[in-house]
Amino acid sequence: MTTPSGNPSLNSPAPSVETKASPRFASIGSPYFAIMLAIMAVVLILSNIGASKGVVLGPIVTDGGFFLFPLAYILGDVVSEVYGFKAARKAIITTFALSVFASLCYWIIIVLPGFGDEYGTAKQAAIEGALGPVPLIVLASLLGFFAGQTINSWVLVKMKERSGEKSLWARLMGSSGAGELVDTLIFCSIAASVIGIADFGTFLNYVVVGFVYKTAVEFLLVPITSLVIRWVKKHEPSYGA
């Protein structure tokens, strides 16, 4: 409706402006966040110990932590999706601090004087062989995991800001691929010499297999990760509050 001058009537309804809903997240003050944080720390500490052993499976070169490490990224996806980037960053820093503490404990255990008999000497050599390389593995893990998990969380949250609650599978796959690529490159570059990789061909095998394996596991577990995320969202009282 217009006035005689051709201007819109003052009584005409204003055009509607479509607003974009903000992404929903939960508060970290819940038992679910604490449980996932504890599992992330345990998985990373155990994978750091396992990674000190080189593993050969036919033509594949990897390390003893290969079956554990993808779980840390899956948990990182759950934390990022449900609790947001700040909570994920807090979980990453806390997990790193606990890994450093574990590495310090290993060093103290090694340098403490042991029994001087044959059994004590053999035991000392075994402990040094198992836990001695771990600080370097922890360094590789700290740098790789920090960079990779930060990128993983950032990409996932940014994608959620665009799509809201839709396209969860795309967020999980896109963020995991980006994070694992950065993580694998940094980790393998430092850890290769620790587990005994000396030539470029074996190193390339280590990097490519590590990235493909970790990413493939996360992609295959996207349906399970999605179910876990939906369950946590449903049972997390503060989600979207």
Side-chain angles (χ1 to χ4, degrees):
M1 181 177 181
T2 59
T3 61
S5 61
N7 294 325
S9 170
L10 297 176
N11 296 325
S12 299
S16 60
V17 178
E18 186 176 348
T19 58
K20 186 177 180 180
S22 300
R24 294 186 292 167
F25 298 107
S27 169
I28 63 174
S30 75
Y32 298 111
F33 177 79
I35 291 170
M36 284 184 279
L37 175 59
I39 297 174
M40 282 182 68
V42 171
V43 167
L44 185 60
I45 290 171
L46 290 177
S47 63
N48 285 340
I49 297 174
S52 63
K53 175 182 178 179
V55 173
V56 180
L57 301 171
I60 297 174
V61 177
T62 182
D63 57 64
F66 77 95
F67 66 97
L68 281 169
F69 199 73
L71 296 177
Y73 266 83
I74 292 170
L75 288 166
D77 286 338
V78 177
V79 170
S80 300
E81 173 68 21
V82 178
Y83 299 97
F85 180 72
K86 289 184 179 179
R89 184 173 57 189
K90 180 175 291 187
I92 294 168
I93 293 173
T94 303
T95 303
F96 281 172
L98 292 172
S99 295
V100 172
F101 175 71
S103 182
L104 177 62
C105 290
Y106 302 150
W107 177 77
I108 293 174
I109 292 169
I110 290 173
V111 300
L112 285 173
F115 296 151
D117 58 8
E118 184 178 350
Y119 177 79
T121 303
K123 196 71 166 179
Q124 177 68 20
I127 291 176
E128 290 179 0
L131 299 181
V134 170
L136 289 176
I137 295 294
V138 169
L139 174 63
S141 179
L142 286 176
L143 296 177
F145 191 70
F146 182 82
Q149 275 283 19
T150 301
I151 290 174
N152 176 69
S153 177
W154 184 83
V155 170
L156 189 148
V157 172
K158 286 298 180 182
M159 292 179 71
K160 186 175 183 179
E161 289 177 356
R162 293 191 175 190
S163 61
E165 295 295 311
K166 299 183 294 183
S167 304
L168 175 59
W169 64 271
R171 292 197 294 277
L172 295 176
M173 296 178 72
S175 62
S176 296
E180 287 289 10
L181 177 61
V182 174
D183 189 329
T184 303
L185 286 173
I186 296 175
F187 177 81
C188 291
S189 298
I190 300 173
S193 60
V194 178
I195 66 174
I197 294 177
D199 61 278
F200 180 75
T202 307
F203 171 75
L204 187 62
N205 185 323
Y206 185 40
V207 172
V208 172
V209 168
F211 171 71
V212 172
Y213 164 75
K214 293 173 185 176
T215 307
V217 168
E218 291 196 51
F219 285 4
L220 289 173
L221 293 180
V222 161
I224 297 176
T225 307
S226 300
L227 289 175
V228 173
I229 287 173
R230 291 190 180 99
W231 188 92
V232 175
K233 286 179 178 179
K234 182 178 179 181
H235 291 82
E236 176 58 78
S238 64
Y239 185 73

